[in-house]
Amino acid sequence: MNITQAKEYVRDCVRLYLKKDEYGDYVVPVVRQRPIFLLGAPGIGKTAIVEQAAQELGVALVSYSMTHHTRQSALGLPFISHRLYDGMETDISEYTMSEIIASMYDVMEESGLKEGILFLDEINCVSETLSPSMLQFLQYKTFGRHRVPEGWAIVTAGNPPEYNRSVREFDVVTMDRVRVLEVEEDYEAWKVYAQEKGIHNAVTNFLDLKKEYFYRIETTGKGRSYVTARGWEDLAGILTLYEQEGLSVDETLVGQYLRNERIVKEFTAYYDLYQKYKKDYHVEDILAGRAEEETVKKAQEAPFDERLSLLGMLMDKVQGEIRSAMETSAYLTDMRNPLLAARSALTKQPEADALFLLSMLQKQEEGRRTLLSSMEKANSLSDADRRKHKAVLRFLQEAQKESLTEGFGSGEAVFAFLKRKFDGQVEGLKKETGRVQERLHQLFAFVDCAFSGGNEMLILLTELTVNDASARFIAAFGCADYQKYNEELMLSERQGDIRREIVALEL
C-alpha cells in the first residue's frame, strides 16, 4: 500500500484501539492490541505517516529509534530492593523504569493528554541483548517490569533486510504478534502530500515528467546509489531558501540530497530551465490578465514538458495564495470564540470597565499559550494548526496593547475596538478571496486559450480537485470556471464512453 493508505489504516486502527465501552473499558483488550509494523524501504515517509495520524486523532506521540537503545536503556537499570516476605527480610533485584516508558509519562504530565501513540522506529535493528525482550514487549506491552500506560497504541517501523545490514529478521513467533503493513513508494500519493506541504514546484514538475526518478536505490560501480522521498522533500526546502537568499543552485548542492549522478545532472539542468521559464513567461502577468500575445503564442508552440512546467508554475502560485487565504479563514473562524466569550461576559456585566475586559483577554491569551504548549509537547500539532494558534495569539496581544494605548475607559469601548479590528480582517479576507478568484479565472482563461484541445485543462481541474486547500476554497467561495470546465469535460468523457460502447456493440 502507499503512504496515504497506510496513514488511514494506522489512524483507523489506533482509533479502534482507543475505543471504550459503556463502562470505560477498552473494547479491544490490551493483550489483543497487536502493534502495527510498517515495513518499507528507507525514506518513503513511514515516520510522517505516524505523525499525521497522531495529529488527525489529536493524541500524543512519543517516538524512539531502537537502534540507539541498549538493554539497559530500554528495560531500565537493576537495583537492590529490601523486602519483607512472611516475616523474613531479603534483598531482591528490581529494575528502574525504562527510559521509553518514562518518556510517555513525561508527555502525559506535560501535555495533559492521556492517550497517544508510541512509535518505535527501526524495531528490527535492536541490539542482540535486547532482541529477546522484544517478544514480551510486542505481546504484553511491557519493558522489563513496567507496562506501557493504558490508552497508548504501539506502532513500529523497519526496513527490509536488503536495505539495512543491521536488520535482524523477525521469526514467525514475533511476526505473529504484529500487524504487518508493507508500505511501498508511490509518487502520486506523495504528490498530494507535497502539494499540501507547499513543496517547491520545481521538484513536483520534474517528477511529473520523470516519475521513475521519485524513488531509486541501486548498486553501482561507485557503491550504493539512492534517491528517496525524504531526499526530494529536503531538497525542495533548501531550494526555497536559496531562492529567497539569491544563492545559485548547482550540482554540488543537489547531490547532497540526491545520491544518484544521473538524476542530479538531469534535475539540475531542469531546474535551470525552470528558472528560465519563470523569466520568459512572466507568470505574474498571466495571472493578472496581462498576458501578451507573444507569451500565449510561445506557450501554444511549446513542447509538452515546457507546457507542463508552465502550468505547474501557474498552479503553484495560485495554490500558495489559496493556502494562505484558507489559513486566514481558519484563524478568523477560531478567533470568533474569544470574541463571543467577551461579548457574553459584557452581557452579564454591562457596566464593566476596560480593565475587566483586558484581564479577560489576558486570560484567554494565557489559556491559548498553555494549549499550544501542551500540543507541542505531545507532538500532536500540525504546521497549519501551529500557525492558526499563533495568529490568534498575535491578535490578542495586539488588541491588548492597542487598547491600552487608546486609553479606553469601559469594557464596551474595548469590545467595540476588538469588533472593528476583527471586522477589518474579515473584510480583508473577503477582498483577498475575491482577488484569488479573479486569478483563478485568469488561469483558466489562459489555459483555455494557450492549450486548447490539450490535456492541460484536465490536469488543472484534477490538481484543484485533489488538493485539499483548493478543494475547500472552491467549496467555500466558489469558482464558476471550475464548474464550467468540469461539467464540459465530464460531458465529453460520457460521450466518449457512449461512443466506445457503440463501437463495441458494432452498431
Side-chain angles (χ1 to χ4, degrees), residues 159-174:
N159 305 135
E162 61 265 29
Y163 295 108
N164 192 333
R165 295 177 183 175
S166 302
V167 165
R168 307 171 64 86
E169 288 194 72
F170 286 155
D171 54 29
V172 174
V173 176
T174 304

Side-chain angles (χ1 to χ4, degrees), residues 282-293:
H282 308 289
V283 168
E284 187 56 41
D285 287 344
I286 292 174
L287 295 176
R290 300 191 301 266
E292 298 179 356
E293 290 185 14

Side-chain angles (χ1 to χ4, degrees), residues 65-226:
S65 174
M66 295 308 294
T67 55
H68 302 152
H69 282 280
T70 62
R71 186 176 187 276
Q72 288 74 23
S73 64
L75 300 182
L77 294 172
F79 67 93
I80 303 300
S81 175
H82 189 72
R83 294 290 184 89
L84 182 66
Y85 291 122
D86 197 23
M88 181 180 66
E89 294 185 358
T90 185
D91 292 330
I92 65 170
S93 296
E94 290 195 29
Y95 284 85
T96 59
M97 181 176 285
S98 160
E99 175 189 330
I100 297 173
I101 302 294
S103 66
M104 299 167 72
Y105 282 106
D106 287 340
V107 166
M108 288 193 289
E109 185 73 23
E110 293 173 354
S111 69
L113 294 177
K114 301 303 180 184
E115 295 182 328
I117 298 173
L118 172 61
F119 176 55
L120 302 180
D121 200 6
E122 308 291 354
I123 196 169
N124 52 352
C125 293
V126 296
S127 64
E128 187 173 354
T129 57
L130 183 56
S131 183
S133 302
M134 293 311 301
L135 183 62
Q136 178 192 23
F137 168 73
L138 292 174
Q139 181 165 11
Y140 298 108
K141 320 297 185 295
T142 60
F143 273 123
R145 293 176 57 87
H146 301 281
R147 183 182 294 275
V148 169
E150 269 200 347
W152 283 73
I154 298 170
V155 181
T156 66
N159 305 135
E162 61 265 29
Y163 295 108
N164 192 333
R165 295 177 183 175
S166 302
V167 165
R168 307 171 64 86
E169 288 194 72
F170 286 155
D171 54 29
V172 174
V173 176
T174 304
M175 292 295 282
D176 191 42
R177 284 163 171 77
V178 297
R179 301 169 66 167
V180 182
L181 297 184
E182 295 187 10
V183 187
E184 299 176 347
E185 66 274 9
D186 184 322
Y187 171 63
E188 295 302 332
W190 182 83
K191 183 179 177 181
V192 174
Y193 162 82
Q195 290 174 329
E196 292 176 359
K197 295 280 287 187
I199 284 176
H200 199 294
N201 187 244
V203 168
T204 51
N205 272 7
F206 175 76
L207 292 174
D208 281 337
L209 298 168
K210 298 280 188 176
K211 292 182 176 63
E212 66 274 17
Y213 288 168
F214 170 60
Y215 194 95
R216 179 171 293 191
I217 295 181
E218 56 193 15
T219 301
T220 67
K222 296 182 179 181
R224 199 73 158 170
S225 166
Y226 54 90

